Amino acid sequence: MRILGVETSCDETAICLIEASGEFGPAFRFSVLGDTLASQATLHAQYGGVFPNLAKREHLKNLPVLYEAVQKQVGGVKPDAIAVTVGPGLEPCLWTGINFVQRLADESKAPVVGVDHMEGHIMLSMMAHGKLSDFEFPVLALLISGGHTELVVMRSFGEYEVVGRTRDDAAGEAFDKVARLLSLPYPGGPEISRIARAARSAGGPRLYNLPRPMLHENNLDFSFSGLKTAVRRQVEDKSVTDDERAALAREFEDAVADVLVGKAMRAIDEYGINTLVVGGGVSANDYIRERLKTALENEGNIAKLLVPPPELATDNALMIALAGYFHAQKKEFTDPSSLTADGNLALG
Ligand code: KG4
Ligand code: ZN
């Protein structure tokens, strides 16, 4: 089955056509036939974050161009089904993808699947080399993106139980806000990570001592806004040197990593988890990946770690096509005219 994925939930417009076969499990195989992505990151950088109406306008402009580009890559072959992100995300942006897919479906008569963006992140992280990685349920998904920080237990494909979540800012949001405080450009994650790495390899002393919010509380929830405030206190009304900025970035990244690792390990223990799947934009962070890997090794590899290829950790359309196939195969189609954007769509 050829399935087209369309993603417009935030500031990436992306379209991907895959060929997929087999039941979702060991027999599942896929290959990417055509793939395009237009990132608006530089456009939003001047606002220090995503500006929804501008993002919507860009999606509207990009969608037909990207679709044409994919059609060219695949020699005009049409999809057998179309998957589109319906949430969570910015509603004006989600609607651009939905309306575009409604028109495509109308022309092609291909059936349509509405996809949860976060399910897409999970599905993509479970793949390697055109198939599902070897792993065992129960799975714990640690979802860390610009809008979400969640721990999700999966006992089988498509079955989700959210067991932990952030009470305020998401991990990626904290990276972006702290980057702004440190006068680093949007998106902040890669920038903070870059200067934190330099500070670590320079090996200087630990200059700051930021909190590890909720780390020792007996629950699986997160909170990152206090961490951001603690960074603000260090920089407001002061001029910070480059070395101080790098030291703060390092301490911030350490604090986020400590909390993510601590909570993930607690959930692994509590739910008898066999596989830890990490997904969402922040999972591109090498330091956080490394810390998770070391924590699992120190516990005798109690769970297998699955992470996405770094270039596919942030938003893309392959993840939507993959989740779309999962539902298409179960014939979970939606009448295109009843597709609705849900900015707060939640798993489970
Ligand atoms: O999944 P994603 O592309 O979009 C959402 O669904 O939100 O995640 C974007 C987030 C941004 O907050 C960005 O700063 C963060 O992922 N991010 C990173 C890194 N790369 C992207 N955070 C930390 N380290 C990175 N290397
Ligand atoms: Zn995302």
Side-chain angles (χ1 to χ4, degrees), residues 11-15 35-40 66 311 314-317:
D11 61 345
E12 257 91 38
T13 323
I15 301 186
D35 189 29
T36 52
L37 183 143
S39 174
Q40 308 169 11
L66 296 193
E311 68 284 5
T314 47
D315 294 348
N316 59 81

Side-chain angles (χ1 to χ4, degrees), residues 12 117 121 145-147 172-173 175-176 187-190 280-282 284-285 313-315:
E12 257 91 38
H117 179 89
H121 277 302
S145 70
E173 189 180 357
F175 269 97
D176 295 335
V282 182
N285 186 292
T314 47
D315 294 348

